[in-house]
Amino acid sequence: MDIASIIGVVSGMGFVLGTILLGGSIMMFVNIPSILVVMGGTMAASMVGYPLSDFLSVFKTSIKIFMFKIQAPEEIISNLVETSNKARKGGLLSIESDIQNTSDPYLAQALQMTVDGVKTADIAAIMQKKMALTKKGLDTGSDIFSSMGSYAPAFGMIGTLIGLVQMLANLDDPSSIGPKMAVAMITTFYGAVLANLFFIPMSDKLCGRNEEEITNMSIIFEGII
């Protein structure tokens, strides 16, 4: 579990809500049409920009933002050296127990192919293909969240423009200008919060996760070969 991500989201929302409560009622910032414009528009634009399968997969990928456990590179290197020494002394069949004990499916598959006597070139091709697919999946998730981070403020502005048009169409009632202006500005607020507290930081976190995972996979690849 990534404590930093959880603390960041909770504290960020806490600061925003605390500031709102210090200045008045939180209900002033609740507006269903504004939420629909920002969230609906952001989701719709993302589906236009990416294949549906990629868009749907981002929800699964986002779990890695909050739930992520990865071995330290030093530990992987140490384990590979130990496995290598074991194979050199007892033969490749002696490392079958290591396959059962490893929690990394990438390493387990690579060790199994080694024990099975698969050619080195074939092992390398399979491992590189799997590494490329893993990187593509994480890159796609990061890219989609980054795009949503740019779409959300834009749809916030669209919602504000809609509110301003509705306000200007009813200038004959001066008493309604203030409330309508407040509602018009809320959509910009929603877009800014979603982009800067959720979507852009999530994109950055997934980008970091990508680098960590690919680094470990590269170490395993080199060690197996």
Side-chain angles (χ1 to χ4, degrees):
M1 181 177 293
D2 189 340
I3 301 299
S5 295
I6 295 173
I7 292 176
V9 171
V10 172
S11 62
M13 288 300 298
F15 290 136
V16 172
L17 292 175
T19 303
I20 291 173
L21 292 173
L22 287 174
S25 171
I26 194 171
M27 295 308 296
M28 294 169 54
F29 287 81
V30 176
N31 185 264
I32 301 303
S34 297
I35 295 174
L36 292 176
V37 168
V38 175
M39 288 300 297
T42 298
M43 296 294 180
S46 299
M47 285 190 282
V48 171
Y50 295 90
L52 182 60
S53 59
D54 288 347
F55 175 75
L56 294 177
S57 69
V58 77
F59 298 102
K60 181 180 178 180
T61 305
S62 63
I63 295 174
K64 290 191 174 184
I65 297 170
F66 302 100
M67 304 291 291
F68 187 76
K69 184 178 181 180
I70 193 167
Q71 276 186 300
E74 296 81 7
E75 185 179 347
I76 294 175
I77 293 171
S78 176
N79 290 340
L80 285 170
V81 170
E82 183 179 342
T83 302
S84 177
N85 290 333
K86 187 176 179 180
R88 186 171 63 252
K89 294 176 182 178
L92 288 176
L93 291 178
S94 67
I95 66 173
E96 282 190 308
S97 60
D98 296 55
I99 299 173
Q100 298 173 354
N101 294 330
T102 182
S103 59
D104 188 334
Y106 183 70
L107 175 59
Q109 182 186 17
L111 288 173
Q112 188 63 60
M113 288 189 294
T114 303
V115 171
D116 292 342
V118 179
K119 292 181 180 179
T120 303
D122 293 336
I123 294 175
I126 292 171
M127 292 182 71
Q128 286 178 325
K129 180 66 174 179
K130 190 166 185 178
M131 195 189 310
L133 289 173
T134 300
K135 185 177 187 301
K136 180 178 181 297
L138 292 174
D139 280 343
T140 299
S142 177
D143 290 344
I144 291 176
F145 276 122
S146 179
S147 296
M148 291 172 75
S150 62
Y151 296 149
F155 277 97
M157 184 58 67
I158 289 173
T160 297
L161 293 174
I162 292 172
L164 289 175
V165 169
Q166 293 173 339
M167 182 192 72
L168 293 173
N170 294 279
L171 285 179
D172 55 329
D173 183 10
S175 64
S176 68
I177 293 178
K180 289 183 180 296
M181 175 64 78
V183 171
M185 297 302 294
I186 287 175
T187 50
T188 298
F189 168 77
Y190 286 153
V193 170
L194 286 173
N196 294 287
L197 186 56
F198 293 99
F199 298 144
I200 295 176
M202 285 179 172
S203 173
D204 293 339
K205 182 58 69 76
L206 281 179
C207 186
R209 294 279 187 260
N210 191 355
E211 292 179 1
E212 291 177 318
E213 194 157 342
I214 296 304
T215 294
N216 282 5
M217 294 179 81
S218 298
I219 292 172
I220 291 172
F221 172 81
E222 296 293 341
I224 292 294
I225 296 305

